[in-house]
Amino acid sequence: MKIRKRYRLPEIPLSPSLTYVAQTHVKDLCNNRPDVGKCNMHRWSSKGNWSPCCYTSDHAKANCMWQKPDELTTYKGFGYEIALGSNGCYDDDQVTAEEALEGWKSSPPHFAVIINKHIWENSTWRAIGIRIYQGFAVVWFGKELDTAEKNMK
């Protein structure tokens, strides 16, 4: 939020729903490694209570990722994820919040999501979910307000 403040952008309220989605996804990334192969880190494996999703760099099937909040929680609206990960799953957290943020700052498409630039310029983030787990970090952004205290399906 310090970065957003520097750009004169409002803080984004923490969302229980998007936090749950973030938590679920980092555990899937660590335990099942769905990102290995032709799919990138926005991929979801077939080893959970969600539909599998192969997200490729051409964004052809982006909806499968954007719909995860609605699929896993009562959150209505798409979720947009930025992700960072290691080559393996570690016993303890190998990525700090500062390291993840530095990685996203050095990636123009990811940083654009954080500071609402380029294709995200007209987006207003009203919900955010964040999780770091054993070498993986993800942030989910949503345009809809999440008013639920606990919002899992």
Side-chain angles (χ1 to χ4, degrees):
M1 292 306 136
K2 289 179 186 177
I3 299 248
R4 288 183 57 79
K5 187 175 183 178
R6 232 179 275 154
Y7 284 82
R8 296 184 179 165
L9 295 167
E11 285 193 18
I12 307 167
L14 188 60
S15 160
S17 300
L18 296 184
T19 298
Y20 176 78
V21 175
Q23 175 181 326
T24 304
H25 196 211
V26 290
K27 288 183 177 180
D28 184 41
L29 286 167
C30 177
N31 298 332
N32 301 316
R33 294 312 311 258
D35 57 313
V36 175
K38 68 177 183 168
C39 305
N40 65 26
M41 289 193 66
H42 303 302
R43 179 180 186 180
W44 289 69
S45 77
S46 60
K47 299 176 182 174
N49 63 341
W50 53 77
S51 57
C53 172
C54 180
Y55 194 108
T56 53
S57 59
D58 64 2
H59 311 289
K61 296 182 181 178
N63 276 350
C64 73
M65 184 263 289
W66 296 344
Q67 294 173 347
K68 286 298 177 236
D70 183 51
E71 182 180 343
L72 296 172
T73 72
T74 58
Y75 184 82
K76 297 301 173 204
F78 285 156
Y80 305 92
E81 179 187 54
I82 58 174
L84 181 131
S86 60
N87 291 328
C89 190
Y90 298 101
D91 290 336
D92 57 359
D93 292 342
Q94 295 292 313
V95 175
T96 66
E98 292 79 14
E99 291 167 336
L101 185 56
E102 286 304 313
W104 290 318
K105 282 171 56 179
S106 68
S107 169
H110 292 99
F111 195 54
V113 178
I114 296 169
I115 62 167
N116 295 99
K117 292 294 179 194
H118 308 300
I119 66 168
W120 306 105
E121 189 172 356
N122 294 321
S123 297
T124 300
W125 302 134
R126 292 185 176 93
I128 192 169
I130 305 162
R131 187 61 70 193
I132 296 174
Y133 179 77
Q134 297 186 342
F136 296 91
V138 300
V139 179
W140 282 79
F141 297 85
K143 296 178 183 179
E144 309 300 324
L145 196 59
D146 184 7
T147 58
E149 287 187 34
K150 297 224 182 227
N151 215 1
M152 283 66 67
K153 282 186 179 174

